[in-house]
Amino acid sequence: MSTALPTLPVLHSEWIKIRSLRGTFWSLISILVATAGIQTLAAALTGRAHEGSLGDDPLLAAFYGLNFGQIAAIAFGASAFSAEFHHGGLRTSLTAVPRRTRFYLSKILMVGGLALVMGLVTGFVTFVAGQAFMGPYALGLGSPGSLRAIVGSGLYLTVMALFAAGLTAVLRSGVVVLGILIPFVLMVSFIVGEATSGLGQYMPDRAGQAMLRLEPQGGLGPWGGLGVMVLWAVVTVVGGWIAVRRRDA
């Protein structure tokens, strides 16, 4: 199994791929820009209007911008993999790295690592910048749940990127994955949550956002909710690994 593990040269090559693909690289940067930017703008415009102006749960409201940043995370995960399925890219990659498991794990590790770093930075900047405009309703880093939510938002964005990456490896199309996941997290999850009393909390986005809530809703606590979201991502990542191993390049 050790012969299939990622190596530094292969990881470096995956970083070069991501850095050289403008769409992929800028989707990574957009995670921070969209999340922190929209959070700051929303707080500046309405944050001081009245208590709860951005939502009943003040901790969840501190990460309102995550609703938009997650789209960038999905785009990053999808585009990082979809490039392999254009113009013989996968065939070239497998020529350089014949062990498919090593190739796949290296790409997943690089996508997850970059998303984690960007996600944690995004979580911190989003919280601090947004709360700077909340006036008397602002939360501090020492407020209950704040540090957990900052870390949780970074983990949420990371898992969302991996969820998209694994699904792209299965479907071999970033466009199809974006067409599925963006409506899924923006509309389907909400509809399912409204239609069923308890099932909605197990949808990946709702489960993961339990990390951002001051008080848990339903039967899932913060870490339990993140665990459910991770399970969703594990299914697609394992599915992607099986697809890469078994399908022709």
Side-chain angles (χ1 to χ4, degrees):
M1 179 61 183
S2 60
T3 58
L5 294 178
T7 61
L8 287 177
V10 180
L11 289 171
H12 185 249
S13 70
E14 291 302 326
W15 160 240
I16 292 174
K17 289 180 189 178
I18 290 174
R19 188 182 62 190
S20 61
L21 293 170
R22 290 185 179 180
T24 303
F25 183 74
W26 283 109
S27 62
L28 176 65
I29 302 300
S30 295
I31 295 174
L32 171 61
V33 175
T35 309
I38 292 175
Q39 182 69 43
T40 303
L41 181 61
L45 291 176
T46 63
R48 301 184 187 214
H50 57 82
E51 188 173 8
S53 56
L54 291 180
D56 295 333
D57 187 321
L59 189 58
L60 181 62
F63 296 92
Y64 168 76
L66 197 71
N67 293 299
F68 303 89
Q70 68 181 349
I71 298 175
I74 291 170
F76 170 63
S79 62
F81 252 97
S82 64
E84 298 290 348
F85 306 115
H86 295 291
H87 309 297
L90 182 60
R91 190 177 300 110
T92 302
S93 295
L94 292 177
T95 300
V97 187
R99 294 187 178 274
R100 295 190 178 212
T101 297
R102 171 174 288 168
F103 158 73
Y104 183 76
L105 291 179
S106 297
K107 185 170 285 290
I108 285 292
L109 185 59
M110 183 54 60
V111 169
L114 291 174
L116 178 60
V117 171
M118 184 60 70
L120 292 174
V121 171
T122 296
F124 180 79
V125 173
T126 298
F127 183 84
V128 172
Q131 295 309 296
F133 292 93
M134 294 297 290
Y137 310 119
L139 301 174
L141 291 173
S143 299
S146 292
L147 292 179
R148 179 248 296 165
I150 290 172
V151 173
S153 65
L155 295 175
Y156 178 93
L157 291 167
T158 302
V159 177
M160 195 62 80
L162 291 174
F163 187 33
L167 191 58
T168 304
V170 173
L171 300 179
R172 294 195 168 202
S173 172
V175 174
V176 171
V177 169
L178 292 176
I180 292 173
L181 286 189
I182 291 177
F184 184 73
V185 300
L186 295 182
M187 294 183 292
V188 175
S189 179
F190 176 78
I191 293 170
V192 170
E194 291 295 313
T196 60
S197 57
L199 185 60
Q201 66 178 320
Y202 295 101
M203 303 300 284
D205 57 318
R206 288 202 170 194
Q209 288 177 11
M211 287 289 289
L212 311 179
R213 293 187 178 276
L214 189 60
E215 297 293 337
Q217 287 188 347
L220 289 177
W223 296 104
L226 181 65
V228 169
M229 186 186 187
V230 168
L231 286 176
W232 278 85
V234 166
V235 170
T236 66
V237 169
V238 171
W241 171 67
I242 293 172
V244 167
R245 279 177 58 87
R246 294 185 176 180
R247 290 178 183 170
D248 294 334

